[in-house]
Amino acid sequence: MDETTRRPQDTRAISDARVLAALTHPLRRRLMDLLKVDGPGTVGQLAERTGQAVGNVSHHLKVLAESGLIEEAPELARDRRERWWRLADRQLTWARADFDGDPVSEAVADAAGSIMAERQIELVREWALRRSGYPADWQDGCAIATQGWLRLTPEEARELAADLHEVIQKWVNRPVPEDGRERETVLAFAHSVPARP
């Protein structure tokens, strides 16, 4: 595949605590999300979309690049001064168990899980505040909240997690139809954790 048609790798499993720490910084997570949703971008474009200073965005892109999470897309540059960035991988996965055994790695993984959950909840809260500004067809049944108390073995919990992951990935990986219809970006996430009512 030549450079102009290069596509990111499908999935990268993260097991290095330094990479996970780089990924879970709030601004870096947002930059990764923008590159995922909007495609490659320049520092200036990403600074405008995040409301951050160009120097700050440039620093965080450098950290992401050093961690192998993003890479340059030189074929998009109009001249040698312009630098474009894209995701290095289409999907990232990580499992808390991969960080067991080292207290520092465990702390990074625990913080990463908490930061990611906080970001997901923040986006749900933002939707509640912006909801009335959307057309009626977006307000009726497009956003969901669902939960269920289950009694599961560890094997059953892993099966549930795989099922949930599979449903979301089916929609993530589908080709977006070219039917002329306008589409919003939608965050779909699921958590299943041992808990007590």
Side-chain angles (χ1 to χ4, degrees), residues 98-111:
D98 291 341
F99 298 89
D100 287 345
D102 172 46
V104 172
S105 296
E106 290 173 358
V108 168
D110 289 341

Side-chain angles (χ1 to χ4, degrees), residues 104-147:
V104 172
S105 296
E106 290 173 358
V108 168
D110 289 341
S114 179
I115 289 167
M116 288 181 181
E118 287 171 16
R119 176 67 176 147
Q120 292 163 342
I121 298 304
E122 175 187 338
L123 291 170
V124 171
R125 287 186 180 127
E126 284 179 17
W127 161 252
L129 296 173
R130 296 181 297 117
R131 180 174 191 255
S132 62
Y134 276 77
D137 59 340
W138 272 103
Q139 295 182 37
D140 186 24
C142 293
I144 65 159
T146 183
Q147 73 175 38

Side-chain angles (χ1 to χ4, degrees), residues 9 30 32 50 56 63 90-92 95 99 102-103 109 113-114 122 137 144 159 165 167 172 181-182 186:
Q9 298 296 315
R30 187 159 178 222
M32 297 275 299
T50 59
N56 190 32
V63 172
R90 290 181 56 163
Q91 299 292 328
L92 299 172
F99 298 89
D102 172 46
S114 179
E122 175 187 338
D137 59 340
I144 65 159
E159 184 178 346
H165 182 75
V167 167
V172 166
R181 297 177 66 196
E182 188 173 331
V186 172

